[in-house]
Amino acid sequence: MARDLAVIGMGKLGASMAAAMASRGHRVTAVDVREEAVEALNAGRAPVQETDLERIVLESGPRLRATTSHREAILGADISFVAVPTPSDDRGAFSLQYAGWACREIGRALADRKDYHLVVISSTVLPGSMRFGLLPILERESGKRCGRDFGLCYGPAFIALGSVIRDFLNPDFCLIGEFDERSGASLEACYGDVMPDRPPVHRMSIENAELTKLAVNTYVTTKITFANMLAELCERLPGGDIDVVTRALGADARIGSRYLRGGLGYGGPCFPRDNQALGFIARALGSGADLAETTDRFNRQFAERAVGRLRPHVAPGATVAVLGLAYKPFSHVVDESQGLYLVRALSRAGVRVVAYDPLAAEGARAELSGHAVIFDSLAEALAQADVVVLATPDPAFRSLGATDLLAGGKATVTVVDFWRVLDPGVARQPGVRYVAFGRADSPETGAGSLATLWGGAGT
Ligand SMILES: NC(=O)c1ccc[n+]([C@@H]2O[C@H](COP(=O)([O-])OP(=O)(O)OC[C@H]3O[C@@H](n4cnc5c(N)ncnc54)[C@H](O)[C@@H]3O)[C@@H](O)[C@H]2O)c1
């Protein structure tokens, strides 16, 4: 059944949600306060950069349109999804400033509706935000009662930038926090019409869903950080190798291999803020927050520790090239990326830094002014580098050979590979000194410390 849907917020999540639902035959009106985003969508262009978005916008034709009027969208739709920002505030909590404003607009439009309408908050919020922050705004502005006149659900999406549309349409499961049975049933039916494979649906109270969404991200970041911690330890063991360890570890069905790799820390617009937020809500309610806070601290300090590791390889006056400034390969997003952290930490330590990223140069320049020269070509960056640091596992870096690395007439170059992506043959080429994060330098590494620790056994 073709539905009439509204999506409030046409950013990285909302624009793709709107397009994804239109691609399944529904009529979708997207709303944004940014006129340029509205104009772009109505002209058949993607308002943000995302895989397949522009194609779907074009293919959807009149089924997908945009407006700056919340009222117009809400009056014409049975369900509205809210995907506006919930930025971290200085306590580490997620601010309801934009969501509150959106709910005021929705509430005012609901005042003029005669029939039932379901409001779904897809923005990430902290436990209690829906019932105690947003619901009162909706009721006050509409003069109506939730549960009787309109419904309310928390419906967060589990997506990664670069695959938002695919992820939204094909999630591992749907998470629904419902104000009441009718609200949850309406959203479940809608998801059933949108998601081709009808994924399992987990319906629960709003507060349990608010916690579950946060728990998914913080669990994943804890797993990433655990592997990174092991990688540091492997470097200190005779013949230590994080890939050998994680391959076996991930084979245990209780653990699994995804996100268990050992590399630079995590970044991006979502992951880094979630442990802080979990810590905030746990502390505010008087429960333990140590695990979340430790994960966050370990990750944030990673770049500084990485600089300590690089230091023996960086001679005075040497230039370091950091390759990979986005928070992951194939992305232009530099928010909280480890590449940026690393450049800043090296620059603070007095090292001359040059840098390159296939997609993220523009965003990185705005962030790194005064810290690094960012080149538009990989070859230019390599030509100046005495030390090359691979900060993301971008395939563009995998194929680097000794000739590329030794460009600029150098006799030697050191490559520090945080993701162990370079062809092992390159490491054996004359003039190339290869340092792999998570691997011991030699079979003797750490032997002295271990002999001191255990050498007296049996005496
Ligand atoms: N980006 C992600 O990877 C991701 C993943 C999961 C969840 N989320 C969550 O989704 C929410 C949105 O994130 P995003 O990355 O899409 O943000 P974004 O900044 O890319 O986009 C938000 C959009 O909302 C618009 N907006 C703000 N206030 C508005 C209002 N009152 N009415 C209409 N439009 C308004 C902005 O102009 C902007 O276009 C956040 O809560 C975020 O945590 C994001």
Side-chain angles (χ1 to χ4, degrees):
M1 157 177 110
R3 293 168 174 272
D4 291 300
L5 306 169
V7 177
I8 321 293
M10 290 166 51
K12 296 184 283 296
L13 175 62
S16 291
M17 278 177 64
M21 294 193 285
S23 77
R24 302 286 300 154
H26 304 293
R27 293 175 291 270
V28 184
T29 306
V31 186
D32 207 289
V33 291
R34 289 187 299 126
E35 279 179 20
E36 66 274 19
V38 170
E39 278 167 18
L41 194 104
N42 286 335
R45 298 192 311 274
V48 294
Q49 197 175 320
E50 183 52 49
T51 310
D52 289 338
L53 182 55
E54 187 131 318
R55 177 181 60 75
I56 294 179
V57 167
L58 268 176
E59 284 172 7
S60 300
R63 271 202 321 279
L64 175 59
R65 41 183 303 283
T67 173
T68 53
S69 164
H70 295 73
R71 186 183 160 74
E72 181 190 331
I74 305 298
L75 292 183
D78 300 320
I79 303 180
S80 48
F81 294 85
V82 178
V84 301
T86 47
S88 299
D89 64 20
D90 49 16
R91 302 167 302 170
F94 299 153
S95 160
L96 292 180
Q97 183 191 350
Y98 298 95
W101 198 84
C103 284
R104 261 197 301 283
E105 295 294 317
I106 295 170
R108 285 174 193 163
L110 286 181
D112 292 336
R113 268 196 84 114
K114 302 272 179 290
D115 53 351
Y116 186 84
H117 182 90
L118 175 66
V119 179
V120 181
I121 306 293
S122 296
S123 299
T124 309
V125 297
L126 284 178
S129 304
M130 297 269 301
R131 194 180 303 275
F132 300 99
L134 302 178
L135 171 56
I137 297 174
L138 289 167
E139 289 193 326
R140 188 184 66 229
E141 298 294 329
S142 64
K144 297 190 168 183
R145 278 245 321 272
C146 187
R148 186 189 64 192
D149 307 313
F150 67 92
L152 181 64
C153 282
Y154 182 47
F158 297 96
I159 53 101
L161 296 181
S163 54
V164 180
I165 294 173
R166 192 188 65 209
D167 296 347
F168 176 74
L169 292 174
N170 306 284
D172 288 348
F173 72 107
C174 291
L175 177 62
I176 298 179
E178 60 193 39
F179 178 81
D180 59 0
E181 157 66 28
R182 184 178 180 189
S183 304
S186 303
L187 183 55
E188 182 172 1
C190 176
Y191 282 158
D193 285 346
V194 164
M195 295 164 187
D197 293 334
R198 295 198 167 245
V201 177
H202 288 262
R203 285 170 55 183
M204 58 188 75
S205 75
I206 286 178
E207 286 74 16
N208 279 327
E210 288 169 323
L211 180 58
T212 304
K213 163 66 180 169
L214 199 58
V216 168
N217 280 7
T218 50
Y219 186 87
V220 170
T221 54
T222 305
K223 193 172 178 189
I224 292 170
T225 304
F226 186 77
N228 293 346
M229 178 193 75
L230 293 180
E232 284 197 12
L233 185 52
C234 279
E235 292 188 335
R236 290 161 177 76
L237 293 174
D241 187 332
I242 186 62
D243 295 320
V244 171
V245 173
T246 52
R247 257 197 302 277
L249 192 58
D252 187 313
R254 293 168 300 175
I255 298 173
S257 58
R258 289 181 71 191
Y259 293 97
L260 198 66
R261 177 152 183 194
L264 271 180
Y266 55 84
C270 293
F271 275 174
R273 70 199 201 107
D274 289 338
N275 279 293
Q276 279 191 327
L278 183 61
F280 166 82
I281 194 71
R283 259 182 286 109
L285 298 177
S287 83
D290 303 30
L291 184 58
E293 288 170 349
T294 302
T295 300
D296 184 52
R297 200 168 47 249
F298 189 95
N299 192 63
R300 285 181 196 282
Q301 292 170 352
F302 205 92
E304 295 292 345
R305 286 199 305 282
V307 171
R309 189 174 300 110
L310 291 173
R311 199 170 278 282
H313 307 290
V314 182
T319 295
V320 175
V322 175
L323 308 186
L325 300 169
Y327 82 99
K328 62 177 183 180
F330 302 115
S331 175
H332 63 284
V333 178
V334 296
D335 301 23
E336 307 244 8
S337 89
Q338 291 292 330
L340 290 198
Y341 286 162
L342 207 51
V343 169
R344 289 199 197 101
L346 284 164
S347 155
R348 274 197 301 271
V351 175
R352 178 172 184 268
V353 188
V354 298
Y356 168 78
D357 189 285
L359 296 174
E362 197 183 319
R365 277 193 191 102
E367 296 284 335
L368 290 176
S369 152
H371 288 293
V373 180
I374 299 167
F375 287 106
D376 288 321
S377 101
L378 179 54
E380 275 182 286
L382 289 174
Q384 301 217 356
D386 303 296
V387 178
V388 176
V389 176
L390 304 187
T392 63
D394 196 305
F397 311 144
R398 282 169 196 240
S399 52
L400 289 174
T403 324
D404 307 305
L405 295 163
L406 288 164
K410 295 177 292 251
T412 59
V413 66
T414 300
V415 184
V416 181
D417 184 352
F418 277 99
W419 298 94
R420 302 167 302 283
V421 293
L422 216 59
D423 185 316
V426 178
R428 292 189 288 272
Q429 294 297 314
V432 177
R433 167 151 171 62
Y434 180 71
V435 181
F437 172 60
R439 268 187 218 148
D441 275 347
S442 80
E444 285 81 41
T445 302
S449 305
L450 293 173
T452 308
L453 193 59
W454 304 114
T459 60

